[in-house]
Amino acid sequence: MQHVFASHRPDFTDTFKNNLLIRAMRDGKREFVRLLIKECVDIHRFQRSNYQQLFQADRIPDELRRQLKWDVDPTVDNIMRFVVRSLQMDVFVSYGLNEKSDQELSMSNEDIVKKLKNLASFESAENQSDPYFYLMIWAILMMNLQDIAKFFWQHCKEPIPSAIIASGIYRVLRKNCQPANKLLADQLSKAEKDFLDLACGVLNQCYTDRPDETDRILTRKRPRWRNLTCLEIAYQMKIYSFMTHDACKISINRGWFGKISAKNNSIQMMSSVFVLGLLPFVLRFEESDEEKVKENTCMKKIRNRITNFYTAPIMRFSHTMASYIVFLGFFSYALLTGFGDKLTYIEYQMCFWVLCLIMDEFRELYCVNADLKKRLGPNFPQELSWSERLEGYFTDKWNYFDFIVIIFFPIGMSLNLSGFVEAGRVLLAISQIAFFMRTMKAFLALKELGPKIWMIAAMVNTQLLC
């Protein structure tokens, strides 16, 4: 076929070329697809004008129809909505940006010039639709075109986030696949791992050749995906194995320490809590030359160090855990010595403390809908009922302990004040157990303790099922 294009280019109509490319894509003929795109098909125009045709109802796999629900019409919009809601993230932000709207057609010459100047910038160019990305999504949803999906991925503008999203879609399809269809599930699992390896391979090559640029690549906000970074996309897709890469660990540690230098040892970090991190010989900070020039007075330097110290995630976490341990100590003391029919000063503090925790849990439950809107965007509106919010709230197993606290602590306090002291103390003891169990969540990310906590959770589930 290639010698035909090399000797002379036949004058095929656009319809014939598009139909030929669609048939080659559906048959999985990768080299033929590559040749057609290289020689005679405008891929941007093809994607805009034929995307609906690619998703013909009679060409949709039965497994995708089942996951989509049989009573749902398999249009492009419904399929895109299924992908977005399954991933809980809008991956089609830039879809259709290349199509001219009525507003664009009525723009004046000055507006057109301004728009062209904006398109010349990197950020605006990045926002434009990537046809290869959408064709890769189509190949993934066809479930048996892994080679074609990899071919389109090779031409995507942003290979790392595209591979992460592809792996995430394969993961969703595999998890929702029927247990009886083990052959298809194995194929989807292999494709999921292949795209994860591709993302890690690109990252590893970049980390080897240009380690200084790797952190910028991982932490740069991507306008095409609602200003999420590669790390945030991987977290949203639940591709945790990608985040274990050495390059990701460096970026995560840099964000974890904030402006505080990671070169400080544990003694410096602990002692800095008592001196507010102000003394240069106690705690070191990461400061650029520009920031050093701006800190031309001692007061500015002190103010900046106070701000950087208390806004660093590691210090916010440390202070939260320290206050929580103090709270558990007071709770244990009050439970052993007090909590009778009259409240003491410490018990008033405990009630106020627990009230703040309960209000924070209600805030988390209320903000589920707002967080979902932020991830899905205006193109995929979804209002959650309170039952759906509760279902999403309890997907995090640690919230069960919070629920126990919300229920048992107020009831226990009410029974104490009503004269049923023994019954109230029993419920407060159960609440205290839940408070202590919540501390394990903070240690899940630790290399030494995290696996042991998961082992304990698995043993508890096994004992409960027996």
Side-chain angles (χ1 to χ4, degrees), residues 5 63 86 115 194 252 333 342:
F5 292 103
E63 180 60 31
S86 299
K115 188 175 181 72
D194 289 344
I252 293 173
Y333 174 79
K342 293 183 179 180

Side-chain angles (χ1 to χ4, degrees), residues 247-460:
C248 295
K249 290 179 182 178
I250 294 174
S251 299
I252 293 173
N253 285 336
R254 185 174 285 111
W256 175 242
F257 282 94
K259 292 289 186 179
I260 300 176
S261 175
K263 298 178 181 179
N264 296 294
N265 55 42
S266 57
I267 297 177
Q268 289 176 307
M269 297 291 286
M270 294 185 65
S271 61
S272 64
V273 175
F274 301 99
V275 295
L276 306 180
L278 304 180
L279 304 181
F281 53 86
V282 173
L283 199 65
R284 287 178 288 181
F285 288 81
E286 297 284 352
E287 296 176 335
S288 62
D289 295 336
E290 183 179 351
E291 290 174 339
K292 290 180 180 179
V293 172
K294 291 181 179 179
E295 293 178 348
N296 50 10
T297 62
C298 182
M299 290 303 299
K300 281 187 177 180
K301 188 172 184 178
I302 293 175
R303 184 174 65 251
N304 290 340
R305 291 210 165 188
I306 291 176
T307 303
N308 294 335
F309 180 78
Y310 281 108
T311 56
I314 185 174
M315 285 302 164
R316 292 166 62 185
F317 172 79
S318 300
H319 292 150
T320 300
M321 287 304 301
S323 63
Y324 192 73
I325 291 172
V326 172
F327 162 73
L328 291 178
F330 281 142
F331 196 177
S332 301
Y333 174 79
L335 191 61
L336 291 173
T337 60
F339 279 126
D341 54 354
K342 293 183 179 180
L343 293 179
T344 63
Y345 175 73
I346 293 180
E347 291 166 1
Y348 274 115
Q349 284 186 322
M350 301 305 303
C351 292
F352 178 74
W353 215 322
V354 174
L355 178 62
C356 293
L357 293 175
I358 293 175
M359 291 176 62
D360 185 66
E361 291 303 315
F362 277 108
R363 179 202 59 81
E364 180 182 348
L365 182 62
Y366 180 78
C367 293
V368 168
N369 202 40
D371 294 340
L372 187 63
K373 283 184 178 180
K374 183 179 179 181
R375 292 196 304 268
L376 300 187
N379 295 329
F380 301 93
Q382 183 177 7
E383 291 289 339
L384 296 179
S385 63
W386 281 103
S387 61
E388 291 174 327
R389 294 187 189 188
L390 284 173
E391 183 180 354
Y393 175 78
F394 284 114
T395 53
D396 185 0
K397 303 303 180 184
W398 296 102
N399 286 334
Y400 284 99
F401 296 112
D402 300 328
F403 180 75
I404 292 174
V405 171
I406 293 173
I407 296 298
F408 283 87
F409 188 88
I411 296 177
M413 290 300 301
S414 300
L415 290 175
N416 270 343
L417 297 177
S418 301
F420 301 96
V421 178
E422 292 300 324
R425 288 171 67 86
V426 170
L427 294 181
L428 290 172
I430 296 174
S431 179
Q432 186 194 33
I433 293 173
F435 273 120
F436 273 101
M437 295 292 287
R438 287 178 84 248
T439 59
M440 293 194 298
K441 183 179 180 180
F443 303 108
L444 277 177
L446 296 181
K447 184 178 180 180
E448 296 79 10
L449 296 178
K452 294 180 177 61
I453 294 175
W454 284 113
M455 290 169 60
I456 294 172
M459 290 171 60
V460 171

Side-chain angles (χ1 to χ4, degrees), residues 227-246:
N227 287 327
L228 295 177
T229 65
C230 281
L231 292 173
E232 291 171 333
I233 294 174
Y235 179 77
Q236 186 63 38
M237 298 290 110
K238 299 182 180 179
I239 311 296
Y240 301 127
S241 52
F242 174 83
M243 302 175 70
T244 60
H245 193 280
D246 291 340

Side-chain angles (χ1 to χ4, degrees), residues 41-77:
V41 176
D42 183 352
I43 195 64
H44 292 270
R45 186 181 302 172
F46 170 81
Q47 183 262 322
R48 287 198 304 269
S49 59
N50 295 277
Y51 209 56
Q52 297 279 351
Q53 186 179 351
L54 287 171
F55 286 98
Q56 288 180 347
D58 57 338
R59 295 286 184 171
I60 303 297
D62 290 340
E63 180 60 31
L64 180 60
R65 288 292 303 273
R66 187 191 67 81
Q67 296 187 22
L68 190 63
K69 307 301 182 186
W70 291 103
D71 57 340
V72 176
D73 188 19
T75 61
V76 174
D77 292 337

Side-chain angles (χ1 to χ4, degrees), residues 85-113:
R85 290 182 177 174
S86 299
L87 299 177
Q88 293 292 288
M89 171 184 161
D90 184 6
V91 296
F92 303 104
V93 175
S94 59
Y95 183 77
L97 272 178
N98 291 329
E99 298 178 1
K100 292 184 178 180
S101 62
D102 295 336
Q103 183 180 2
E104 290 176 322
L105 292 174
S106 61
M107 287 194 304
S108 63
N109 292 334
E110 294 181 358
D111 294 333
I112 293 176
V113 171

